[in-house]
Amino acid sequence: MLKTVQFALTVWLVLTLNFLLPRLMPGNPLADLDNPLGAPVPLSQEARARIMAYYGLDQPLPIQYQNYLRGLARGDLGWSIYYKAPVGHVLVGRLRWTLGLVGVATVLYVGLGVVLGAVSAWQRGSALDQGLLLTTFATGAFPAFFLAMLLIVLFAVKLKWLPLGGAQSVALLLAPWPQRTVDIARHMVLPVLALLLTSLADVYYLTRNSLGQVLGEGYITVARAKGLRERTLLFRHALPNALLPVVTLASLRLGTIVMGAMLVEVTFAYPGIGQAIYEASIARDYPLLQGAFLVTMLSIMAANLLADGLYGLLDPRVRRAP
Amino acid sequence: MTLRHIISIFLEDRLARIGLLLLALFVGAAVLAPWLSPHDPHRMFDGMLPPSRDHLLGTNDLGYDLFAELLQGARYSLALAASAAVVSTLIGAVLGVVAGYYRGAGFVLMRLVDVFLAVPRFPLIVLIAAFARPGFLTLFLFFVLFGWPSVARIVRARILTERQQEYVLAAHAIGAPGRRIMLRHLLPASLPVAFVRFVAEMQHVIMAEAGLSFMGLGNPTTRSWGMTLSYASRYPALLITDVWQWWVLPPGLAITLICLALAFLGLGLERVSNPRLRAAAAPAGIRKSTENRAPRKGTTRGWTRYARSHQLEREGLVSGLVRLTMRSSAAPCLSCGSSRTVCQDTDGGAEIRCIKKQALFQ
């Protein structure tokens, strides 16, 4: 119950911020038209009032706020100035690329992080453990966009193995699907690699410590005393318990990986939401910008809520707690 | 734990020492930038000069000296990250202590913290930046506003266990006022966890500022590492010629190295705040010697010495442990007869305990 109220409050906060921010900024939407340098023809008082009325900007703020919420409830995110299309349409096209990128990267970095963390916890103190620790921390310190640039230089410019950027080749747009799939996958390799390498450290380190702790518990000793094999012990008995905090972490990290994805998209000119935000901010396409912001915020928050529920499913102790 | 004890635990970790050294280098470069810099960062030379003796990293398309810009960037990035992290850690620590001490008020505050933490920070600062290219002050305020909640949460969790400690209960019993208990006992006890968050905050601010500037949403007049990278990324032939080597690589590596240094510092601080992550510190005097180093796994040599130099001596278990191997082997513990002894290594050291005796030593 409390969780639901809190979530609703957060959503309301984000929606309101999205409404208020542009209105709190100095200047007004018609500033460019009033400006003698910006407008070809000076705006008459009457024309000005007409435009304000047309866009509902002459209404008091609470009424504007009501209209804004009503529009959102209908799924109306506004009209993109740059694309001359509804913002919703533009974003749906963009969203699948970002979802694909973030989805693949998340699955890979959580999976790899857990496996490497388990290896490290098991071989704690060995050269392998130290090497893994140093490597993941080193790649994790890179800003995603910087690593992306280095990957482009190495794999796209010097070795010419993979494409420079974009999500698919224009020449293959009409090709049969196996060829297109390969093409899309090839375009995905470097962005996913950049995200994967920069996100690995946290999950790896948490798995390593949490598993190390679990391995010291009494029930593990009992399992060992029963004569179970090391592998069964590690993956059947220890790992599931050690993974609980990892689920929470992966959900908390979602905001960070979306930040990485936005920057990586800009670096690779990958046509996702991040690239849309970048283009919108350059073209001063504020409706598109705000729409992309809302979609990003709400999807991260929804995913976090989902992870919260998942945690309850995985750990009976949480379910029983009030 | 005394301060000296904390520092000695911290400095035992090699990675923490490396991190401290790296950070000191960067801070030194940032503080001394006006004297280290061969040129005024605002002076224009010929554009796109390759590195030379006069221009260590060449010049950019507008003719600004890139080495001077790199030093200037260190000043900006470090000043922003450090100030925002210091202020948000202070606010978070104080609120966290109060919220842990007065549990009713704490509950309300934590619900506010939950709301703040649920808002994804980066998209929000991107939206704000798109409307008003933020300068130093705006960024500072934003990072403080969204930085304190995570500190408050972790400090409060620490206080909730700390307030049950006997010395706090004793202070209560002799009638010490709440203000005194919070200031003298609880706040110092929360410092290690607060410092771990402080380091993470600094890292976040540096990364977020760089990302924001890279997206072209920084204030165009600032000279941060992110801004340099942003201008570089707009240069058409950046990655297909050699230009990236002196235009992209130095600021990018600077961000990477400082974040790595902070991550290492964080590891060391975590060892201080979480005793489970470290073996008991060796007694003073032998810390530097080879006796502190863990023996090789799977061998029998060196274990007596190692065990003696660690907590095991105090526990009187030394004699039986010679035959142990490091990882998860079960062997009879001679000091208590026939029971099994499990030997498990933790971060960087080893922790050896006897299952039967465990209850006695906890």
Side-chain angles (χ1 to χ4, degrees):
Chain A
M1 182 58 205
L2 189 64
K3 278 261 157 66
T4 325
V5 172
Q6 237 167 19
F7 184 71
L9 198 65
T10 317
V11 170
W12 172 78
L13 191 75
V14 166
L15 294 183
T16 309
L17 271 176
N18 190 40
F19 170 80
L20 276 182
L21 268 177
R23 288 169 175 81
L24 288 175
M25 295 299 161
N28 69 62
L30 299 189
D32 228 26
L33 294 177
D34 280 344
N35 177 357
L37 296 172
V41 185
L43 210 56
S44 75
Q45 205 58 37
E46 192 194 349
R48 205 188 132 80
R50 200 115 48 73
I51 295 177
M52 294 286 272
Y54 180 77
Y55 287 106
L57 292 168
D58 56 343
Q59 312 263 15
L61 269 190
I63 306 285
Q64 285 189 38
Y65 185 55
Q66 248 179 35
N67 290 338
Y68 159 79
L69 288 183
R70 265 201 208 122
L72 279 185
R74 284 197 308 267
D76 178 10
L77 288 170
W79 186 265
S80 162
I81 299 162
Y82 181 69
Y83 287 97
K84 313 231 180 323
V87 168
H89 281 230
V90 177
L91 289 182
V92 166
R94 296 304 190 95
L95 198 58
R96 18 175 215 155
W97 293 114
T98 299
L99 280 181
L101 197 61
V102 171
V104 172
T106 302
V107 169
L108 285 181
Y109 96 81
V110 172
L112 194 63
V114 165
V115 170
L116 294 181
V119 168
S120 247
W122 192 40
Q123 305 265 324
R124 185 70 74 94
S126 67
L128 181 67
D129 169 40
Q130 295 298 312
L132 281 176
L133 183 73
L134 276 181
T135 317
T136 50
F137 269 67
T139 58
F142 278 83
F145 61 91
F146 175 55
L147 190 63
M149 285 166 133
L150 296 184
L151 290 175
I152 292 178
V153 168
L154 181 61
F155 291 106
V157 177
K158 297 268 190 279
L159 297 172
K160 293 190 171 47
W161 287 352
L162 292 160
L164 277 164
Q168 48 191 338
S169 310
V170 181
L172 292 177
L173 274 182
L174 296 174
W177 67 266
Q179 233 176 320
R180 275 199 68 196
T181 314
V182 170
D183 182 53
I184 289 175
R186 270 168 51 86
H187 280 84
M188 223 182 205
V189 173
L190 289 184
V192 164
L193 199 60
L195 280 180
L196 169 71
L197 290 176
T198 50
S199 314
L200 201 55
D202 277 358
V203 167
Y204 159 79
Y205 188 64
L206 187 70
T207 309
R208 174 179 180 265
N209 286 345
S210 138
L211 190 60
Q213 220 166 312
V214 168
L215 282 177
E217 294 212 6
Y219 80 95
I220 296 293
T221 314
V222 172
R224 185 168 285 139
K226 285 198 303 190
L228 290 184
R229 279 182 312 170
E230 282 292 315
R231 188 177 305 164
T232 322
L233 195 78
L234 193 66
F235 289 105
R236 289 281 297 277
H237 292 250
L239 201 56
N241 265 337
L243 281 186
L244 288 169
V246 176
V247 175
T248 319
L249 181 79
S251 118
L252 284 177
R253 284 280 314 196
L254 200 65
T256 320
I257 200 166
V258 167
M259 161 175 157
M262 284 165 75
L263 296 166
V264 165
E265 278 175 13
V266 172
T267 319
F268 285 98
Y270 203 82
I273 296 269
Q275 174 76 1
I277 289 181
Y278 178 69
E279 284 168 3
S281 73
I282 287 178
R284 301 199 171 264
D285 187 349
Y286 291 127
L288 181 60
L289 189 73
Q290 287 184 283
F293 165 79
L294 265 190
V295 169
T296 314
M297 291 291 248
L298 294 181
S299 26
I300 294 178
M301 283 167 9
N304 283 344
L305 193 71
L306 210 68
D308 230 31
L310 189 68
Y311 196 78
L313 281 182
L314 290 177
D315 189 354
R317 283 168 300 186
V318 176
R319 230 178 310 156
R320 254 179 258 130
Chain B
M1 268 197 289
T2 60
L3 191 63
R4 182 176 293 177
H5 189 186
I6 289 176
I7 292 173
S8 84
I9 294 174
F10 179 73
L11 289 181
E12 249 173 46
D13 192 27
R14 191 173 33 165
L15 293 182
R17 286 202 301 267
I18 295 174
L20 202 61
L21 188 73
L22 266 176
L23 189 68
L25 272 178
F26 273 102
V27 171
V31 171
L32 298 176
W35 294 278
L36 287 176
S37 179
H39 300 290
D40 177 7
H42 298 283
R43 201 177 133 201
M44 284 163 109
F45 301 89
D46 292 336
M48 300 312 292
L49 293 175
S52 62
R53 183 164 302 203
D54 192 31
H55 300 284
L56 283 177
L57 297 173
T59 59
N60 68 9
D61 51 347
L62 293 177
Y64 291 116
D65 183 66
L66 282 170
F67 184 64
E69 235 176 51
L70 185 71
L71 286 170
Q72 197 65 29
R75 272 173 103 87
Y76 185 87
S77 299
L78 278 179
L80 178 69
S83 59
V86 164
V87 175
S88 53
T89 307
L90 273 181
I91 296 177
V94 169
L95 286 178
V97 167
V98 172
Y101 189 75
Y102 299 111
R103 269 177 289 190
F107 181 79
V108 177
L109 190 74
M110 283 309 116
R111 302 291 74 77
L112 184 67
V113 163
D114 283 341
V115 170
F116 265 97
L117 287 182
V119 177
R121 287 203 260 182
F122 191 68
L124 184 59
I125 185 69
V126 163
L127 184 74
I128 294 176
F131 283 112
R133 299 291 138 102
F136 189 92
L137 191 65
T138 318
L139 285 177
F140 168 79
L141 289 176
F142 178 85
F143 286 121
V144 168
L145 185 66
F146 283 87
W148 70 267
S150 59
V151 185
R153 171 182 276 183
I154 202 162
V155 166
R156 174 174 169 271
R158 182 84 192 77
I159 295 302
L160 285 182
T161 54
E162 194 71 16
R163 56 174 294 156
Q164 303 298 331
Q165 297 274 325
E166 274 172 15
Y167 74 94
V168 181
L169 297 178
H172 257 300
I174 60 169
R179 186 165 40 92
R180 185 184 160 82
I181 293 178
M182 284 190 275
L183 272 179
R184 290 286 306 234
H185 301 303
L186 297 180
L187 194 60
S190 72
L191 281 185
V193 284
F195 265 118
V196 173
R197 276 313 309 170
F198 169 80
V199 169
E201 277 307 309
M202 261 188 90
Q203 227 178 336
H204 173 82
V205 173
I206 288 175
M207 284 275 191
E209 190 278 330
L212 200 64
S213 303
F214 178 74
M215 285 188 85
L217 294 171
N219 187 324
T221 58
T222 56
R223 275 152 209 280
S224 67
W225 290 328
M227 268 338 263
T228 306
L229 288 170
S230 163
Y231 285 124
S233 73
R234 282 174 226 168
Y235 184 72
L238 180 74
L239 297 178
I240 47 177
T241 56
D242 282 342
V243 184
W244 64 275
Q245 289 170 10
W246 53 87
W247 202 353
V248 172
L249 210 53
L253 281 182
I255 299 172
T256 308
L257 280 179
I258 202 155
C259 285
L260 192 64
L262 288 169
F264 285 166
L265 282 186
L267 279 183
L269 287 168
E270 232 183 307
R271 266 162 46 89
V272 174
S273 67
N274 187 355
R276 270 192 302 227
L277 288 181
R278 61 169 195 271
I286 61 160
R287 204 180 305 125
K288 282 269 151 68
S289 74
T290 51
E291 287 179 64
N292 194 36
R293 204 169 295 154
R296 286 173 65 97
K297 237 191 297 183
T299 62
T300 55
R301 288 211 335 262
W303 275 101
T304 321
R305 213 176 45 187
Y306 179 71
R308 191 170 286 146
S309 72
H310 280 75
Q311 86 222 69
L312 296 154
E313 194 173 44
R314 271 179 281 140
E315 298 174 358
L317 289 175
V318 174
S319 54
L321 292 168
V322 197
R323 282 180 28 222
L324 288 180
T325 52
M326 189 127 160
R327 177 173 51 78
S328 68
S329 83
C333 167
L334 293 187
S335 73
C336 60
S338 62
S339 90
R340 281 161 177 271
T341 304
V342 167
C343 176
Q344 176 216 353
D345 61 323
T346 50
D347 208 53
E351 178 192 314
I352 302 171
R353 55 185 181 174
C354 166
I355 296 299
K356 200 171 173 185
K357 291 250 167 165
Q358 194 185 343
L360 289 177
F361 301 125
Q362 267 178 351

